[in-house]
Amino acid sequence: YQQNPKTYAIVKQLLAEGNAGELQKYFGSRMEFGTAGLRAAMGAGISHMNDLTIIQTTQGFCRYLEKNFSDLKKRGVVIGFDARAHLSSGGSSKRFARLAANTFISQGVPVYLFSDIIPTPFVPYTVTHLKLCAGIMVTASHNPKQDNGYKVYWENGAQIISPHDKGISQAIEENQEPWPQAWDDKLIDSSPLLHDPYAMVNKEYFKDIQKQCFYRNINKETNLKFVHTSVHGVGHKFVQLAFQAFDLSPPFAVPEQKDPDPDFPTVKYPNPEEGKGVLTLSFALAEKDGARIILANDPDADRLAVAEKQESGEWKVFSGNELGALLGWWIFTCWKNNNKDTRAVKDVYMLSSTVSSKILRAIALKEGFHFEETLTGFKWMGNRAKQLMDQGKAVLFAFEEAIGYMCCPAVLDKDGVSAAVITAEMASFLATRNLSLSQQLKAVYDEYGFHITKASYFICHDPKVIQQLFDNLRNFDGKNTYPKSCGRFKVSGIRDLTTGYDSSQPDQKAILPTSKSSQMITFTFANGGVATMRTSGTEPKIKYYSELCAPPGNSDVEQLKKELDELVSALEKHFFQPEKNKLQRKTE
């Protein structure tokens, strides 16, 4: 019996054509449920996001939660969704969210289902605020338009980490047959177990982020103008409300991009990380309205890109590391001005991921607070932040280079809404001192030492070549010896998070968790350089991230850039060996 006529028709057509290859693609293997949940194209078959795979996933998740929480039926779960939709298969984020809600409600579990589209950070916020057992956000963030995803939060308000992914994955395998009435999502509308947290969260979230508002009077008076784009996603309304909460005049919204549109018609990729291409319309509006600063969210509004018009008339798009430096400086400065007890700094923490700039470490050393690095991804920062907060520590800020920022302890994940309005307040404050964001960034580097970063990747579709490349690094000068140098650059330390080796630890064992299934080696160089090589969990890429950290006082930026460029060239030539390994370069 066909439950979804559209996916049914796709499969029926392939059967009629006897198209074994395509059928193999649709039904050959199930989507893998990992710590980031699911992320795949919408369409027919178990390898895609569709009504059936959402029901199966939620049935598994429900059983796993029942096993872990005796009070699941008292506390419940929250479910949110973005504006994605796929005409040809009938899939949409809203439909998937309703099917997931139906699954839980059929088992007597209360569901807080948002009645309208929301930013991703509202789900972890609601888990924490209402003390729920878990949260689900149906979104594919900044992925291409045909994709969707299913992101899962645990009761601590952070994304799940191992072993939960394995446990949920196994439970999905064990609960594949749809339960009775699994498809009938209309049942939820009359159920007393269905709650809508939309109005409450829209009030409470904006109340909570105001704890991060320190210069209301400046905000009211500022004549700085901002442009905001939500890139056809969910962010528009919520950034407008955030500005209102901080007493800032509303930003000019890019009209062609402010309303949700699952086709993302004005951009090639709906990803503000891609830089200037996504911002073309924003630049035009800013020129027209005389705005100096552009704030751009990705479609699910958990990330933020910022651009500023320079004296020269050029636009500068800040990298994730640069904005991380500015926000880290700003949030600590605001904390210091509001905490006169100098001893309190001992309980202050900031976090960033291993592949992000170490600028926070330099600020922490000079100012006396704690800095910790975590593995890549906000799931690690969110979970670590919660541990520290439970020990009575203040976690002021966490960031990753992929333009993700956690500026507000009420959300233990990246949040592009609070980051946008806090950036606007910082810019307004700096304007009263006649400083631009770029000038302040230079001031931060002058005070704490220049941190220059450069990241890129190679594409490689052959897992054997990737394995060989990393094996070669582990047996560089004979068996079990890592490289002692890279071209003219002397290696002073090695951390291998695939094997758990760390040359800087007394017992040579790495402190951060290790994972045999992914490749990641970090090299420290005698000249203050650091370079990490890692495989991507979601794409056929070998990525590298490099940084040169200079001590305060060394302000010859051009010389530092040249040094980093040479280090990166040596890294590519000696460690990647692109010709020998037939690697394809990132094309700009």
Side-chain angles (χ1 to χ4, degrees):
Y1 177 63
Q2 81 232 42
Q3 295 289 354
N4 178 333
K6 290 187 170 178
T7 45
Y8 180 75
I10 295 168
V11 177
K12 212 172 146 184
Q13 176 72 27
L14 290 174
L15 281 167
E17 292 166 6
N19 190 335
E22 280 298 294
L23 285 165
Q24 178 64 30
K25 263 207 297 227
Y26 286 13
F27 292 96
S29 63
R30 175 170 291 282
M31 283 178 292
E32 209 156 307
F33 190 97
T35 49
L38 300 173
R39 187 75 66 88
M42 293 179 267
I46 56 170
S47 64
H48 291 120
M49 301 278 295
N50 54 53
D51 296 359
L52 174 63
T53 51
I54 291 295
I55 288 168
Q56 293 172 326
T57 300
T58 310
Q59 290 181 168
F61 188 31
C62 181
R63 288 288 178 257
Y64 185 75
L65 289 173
E66 287 167 349
K67 217 165 65 183
N68 279 275
F69 297 102
S70 55
D71 53 359
L72 177 64
K73 289 187 174 154
K74 204 167 79 211
R75 289 162 68 191
V77 300
V78 54
I79 303 176
F81 54 90
D82 69 10
R84 285 178 178 256
H86 189 241
L87 279 177
S88 63
S89 69
S92 73
S93 297
K94 183 172 187 171
R95 164 109 183 118
F96 294 161
R98 285 180 60 85
L99 287 168
N102 188 37
T103 302
F104 278 107
I105 285 173
S106 75
Q107 305 303 300
V109 178
V111 172
Y112 295 81
L113 172 68
F114 281 95
S115 54
D116 204 348
I117 55 171
I118 51 153
T120 293
F122 278 23
V123 168
Y125 176 84
T126 308
V127 172
T128 305
H129 195 78
L130 296 178
K131 303 186 172 54
L132 307 180
C133 294
I136 297 166
M137 178 70 191
V138 184
T139 176
S141 187
H142 52 273
N143 269 40
K145 63 182 179 186
Q146 66 274 15
D147 288 2
N148 217 325
Y150 185 106
K151 199 171 185 181
V152 172
Y153 295 86
W154 202 241
E155 65 162 342
N156 63 356
Q159 289 177 57
I160 56 163
I161 48 176
S162 189
H164 294 312
D165 54 331
K166 313 255 187 321
I168 296 166
S169 195
Q170 197 186 332
I172 295 169
E173 291 294 326
E174 291 161 6
N175 291 279
Q176 285 184 20
E177 169 132 3
W179 299 334
Q181 298 175 318
W183 308 87
D184 194 359
D185 64 306
K186 284 192 278 307
L187 293 172
I188 64 176
D189 298 316
S190 54
S191 168
L193 293 172
L194 183 75
H195 309 277
D196 177 11
Y198 191 84
M200 181 275 299
V201 171
N202 266 310
K203 198 173 85 206
E204 297 297 321
Y205 170 87
F206 293 103
K207 217 159 69 190
D208 273 343
I209 64 170
Q210 287 179 52
K211 297 181 184 122
Q212 264 48 53
C213 176
F214 298 104
Y215 292 96
R216 213 170 267 287
N217 291 339
I218 290 177
N219 295 348
K220 279 180 188 155
E221 302 295 315
T222 187
N223 45 22
L224 205 54
K225 293 176 177 170
F226 300 90
V227 157
H228 174 250
T229 177
S230 43
V231 193
H232 304 297
V234 304
H236 170 71
K237 175 185 170 179
F238 304 98
V239 170
Q240 296 280 330
L241 287 169
F243 268 62
Q244 206 177 310
F246 272 53
D247 273 325
L248 284 153
S249 297
F252 297 105
V254 175
E256 303 90 334
Q257 296 178 334
K258 81 177 177 59
D259 298 321
D261 185 335
D263 280 327
F264 305 112
T266 65
V267 292
K268 192 170 162 200
Y269 299 107
N271 182 359
E273 235 188 321
E274 301 284 336
K276 296 199 166 164
V278 178
L279 300 177
T280 311
L281 291 169
S282 301
F283 294 139
L285 181 65
E287 297 289 355
K288 178 169 123 333
D289 287 334
R292 208 177 75 208
I293 292 174
I294 291 168
L295 304 164
N297 287 123
D298 67 342
D300 67 330
D302 63 349
R303 303 191 315 159
L304 173 75
V306 177
E308 180 185 55
K309 194 174 188 178
Q310 305 301 293
E311 292 291 311
S312 64
E314 285 287 296
W315 284 94
K316 172 179 170 61
V317 181
F318 293 92
S319 71
N321 285 324
E322 290 172 330
L323 195 55
L326 279 167
L327 285 168
W329 161 80
W330 173 250
I331 287 167
F332 181 73
T333 305
C334 292
W335 180 88
K336 201 161 71 169
N337 294 340
N338 286 280
N339 287 273
K340 294 296 170 247
D341 178 4
T342 45
R343 288 165 309 187
V345 76
K346 291 274 169 281
D347 285 329
V348 166
Y349 280 74
M350 287 196 183
L351 313 174
S352 70
S353 68
T354 52
V355 298
S356 303
S357 169
K358 300 289 166 278
I359 183 67
L360 297 184
R361 183 179 63 190
I363 301 176
L365 277 169
K366 199 163 173 180
E367 300 290 350
F369 64 90
H370 297 271
F371 165 72
E372 278 189 19
E373 65 170 14
T374 70
L375 291 178
T376 315
F378 255 89
K379 58 184 178 191
W380 297 105
M381 285 182 271
N383 279 283
R384 181 60 183 143
K386 181 73 171 101
Q387 278 178 341
L388 289 165
M389 284 154 65
D390 288 346
Q391 294 162 22
K393 310 295 184 200
V395 180
L396 296 187
F397 179 59
F399 90 97
E400 63 178 3
E401 49 71 47
I403 63 175
Y405 313 94
M406 178 180 117
C407 305
C408 180
V411 173
L412 295 180
D413 197 13
K414 51 189 184 289
D415 178 355
V417 178
S418 57
V421 75
I422 289 167
T423 300
E425 176 171 87
M426 164 172 65
S428 303
F429 172 86
L430 288 169
T432 64
R433 305 285 194 274
N434 284 324
L435 287 167
S436 66
L437 291 174
S438 334
Q439 287 166 324
Q440 180 56 38
L441 180 63
K442 188 179 179 310
V444 170
Y445 287 148
D446 282 333
E447 185 164 351
Y448 302 106
F450 272 85
H451 285 60
I452 317 259
T453 57
K454 196 172 181 181
S456 191
Y457 57 81
F458 287 97
I459 294 170
C460 179
H461 291 281
D462 185 348
K464 279 206 277 301
V465 171
I466 295 178
Q467 184 64 50
Q468 227 166 342
L469 186 149
F470 281 92
D471 283 348
N472 177 44
L473 291 170
R474 296 188 180 102
N475 303 281
F476 203 77
D477 301 316
K479 199 167 160 46
N480 292 333
T481 56
Y482 291 88
K484 294 178 181 56
S485 66
C486 178
R488 71 173 176 87
F489 299 97
K490 199 172 158 320
V491 173
S492 58
I494 307 232
R495 183 185 61 194
D496 186 335
L497 288 180
T498 307
T499 63
Y501 169 77
D502 187 341
S503 67
S504 70
Q505 295 301 326
D507 61 356
Q508 315 255 295
K509 284 192 172 61
I511 296 169
L512 289 172
T514 56
S515 162
K516 300 231 184 324
S517 61
S518 58
Q519 301 282 355
M520 178 155 160
I521 306 179
T522 301
F523 300 94
T524 308
F525 296 93
N527 68 344
V530 185
T532 295
M533 295 169 59
R534 64 182 276 259
T535 47
S536 159
T538 50
E539 301 158 306
K541 290 175 180 174
I542 315 172
K543 301 183 170 186
Y544 67 79
Y545 307 80
S546 65
E547 177 166 40
L548 198 55
C549 312
N554 177 353
S555 57
D556 187 348
V557 186
E558 288 317 308
Q559 181 47 43
L560 292 168
K561 279 189 177 151
K562 187 167 163 283
E563 177 91 349
L564 184 63
D565 285 342
E566 288 177 19
L567 176 61
V568 165
S569 299
L571 189 76
E572 290 190 347
K573 182 178 160 187
H574 299 285
F575 289 3
F576 279 94
Q577 302 177 319
E579 285 72 37
K580 184 189 129 186
N581 290 313
K582 300 190 178 49
L583 306 177
Q584 195 183 327
R585 271 174 201 281
K586 171 186 175 180
T587 48
E588 278 310 333

